[in-house]
Amino acid sequence: VHTFLSSGTFTPTVGDAGAGDFVEYLCIAGGGSGGGCGGGGAGGYKSVASQTVTSAGYVVTVGAGGAETSTNVVGNNGTNSIIATLGVTSTGGGGGGHYDATAGHGSAGGSGGGGGYNYSGGTANGGAASPAGQGNAGGSNAVNTADPYESAGGGGSGAAGGAAADGVGGVGGIGTANSITGISLFWAGGGGGGSQDSNPTSASAGNGGLGGGGGG
């Protein structure tokens, strides 16, 4: 098992044709950061069980997670992870939505960011999974109580982000189980949505999705 946590080059040792010239890969992009309240979306997830390779070097680019943001702005998207020679690109996760009078929507990405809070009465939508096939959309928030303020969870590779409820942030979408390391683990979970109240005991943040998603 060869694991890249930072960018590098993979040079496989290949055997006879049909015997030693195949690899399995799992490529995950950087996740989006949470916004003013919405959970960040998981980085795009791509997995192939059998890929033909040669003894040439394969440049692997590992995408970083989205940078932290300040209050009431959309979260930053994560950056792409790439295996260029194979034409593989996993798209960075979408940033979470924010607290806004007319929008508050999450951003599109490998998995979309969760919707924030639209205090004019509309719905703060989750970002789409774009391009399709790498993850799921972020959850939406149609709750418009004055206090507490809640938001939705970011999408994960295995499921969409959870919608917000009154005073409760949406859960991050679950990741996808993969046993490439020899142990079945979940990968690319979405971030949980936040919740804010003048009385903190009545607000509950959403849990992150299984597979690396952070809590709201």
Side-chain angles (χ1 to χ4, degrees):
V1 178
H2 300 268
T3 303
F4 288 86
L5 300 180
S6 59
S7 300
T9 301
F10 171 57
T11 305
T13 301
V14 300
D16 295 333
D21 52 352
F22 300 95
V23 297
E24 178 183 4
Y25 70 76
L26 172 61
C27 182
I28 300 175
S33 65
C37 43
Y45 173 104
K46 283 193 170 184
S47 176
V48 168
S50 183
Q51 170 69 51
T52 302
V53 294
T54 69
S55 57
Y58 291 81
V59 176
V60 177
T61 302
V62 178
E68 182 181 2
T69 62
S70 57
T71 304
N72 293 352
V73 295
V74 177
N76 289 305
N77 281 27
T79 52
N80 298 345
S81 288
I82 301 168
I83 311 173
T85 314
L86 299 180
V88 177
T89 299
S90 294
T91 305
H98 63 130
Y99 179 87
D100 188 81
T102 59
H105 309 312
S107 297
S111 282
Y117 189 90
N118 183 341
Y119 59 81
S120 67
T123 297
N125 295 315
S130 179
Q134 299 186 22
N136 292 277
S140 296
N141 179 19
V143 182
N144 289 286
T145 54
D147 196 3
Y149 308 103
E150 59 287 299
S151 59
S157 61
D166 189 8
V168 181
V171 297
I174 193 172
T176 300
N178 188 299
S179 56
I180 191 171
T181 63
I183 302 172
S184 182
L185 300 170
F186 282 83
W187 305 81
S195 183
Q196 173 185 320
D197 196 316
S198 55
N199 175 10
T201 60
S202 64
S204 177
N207 293 323
L210 186 62

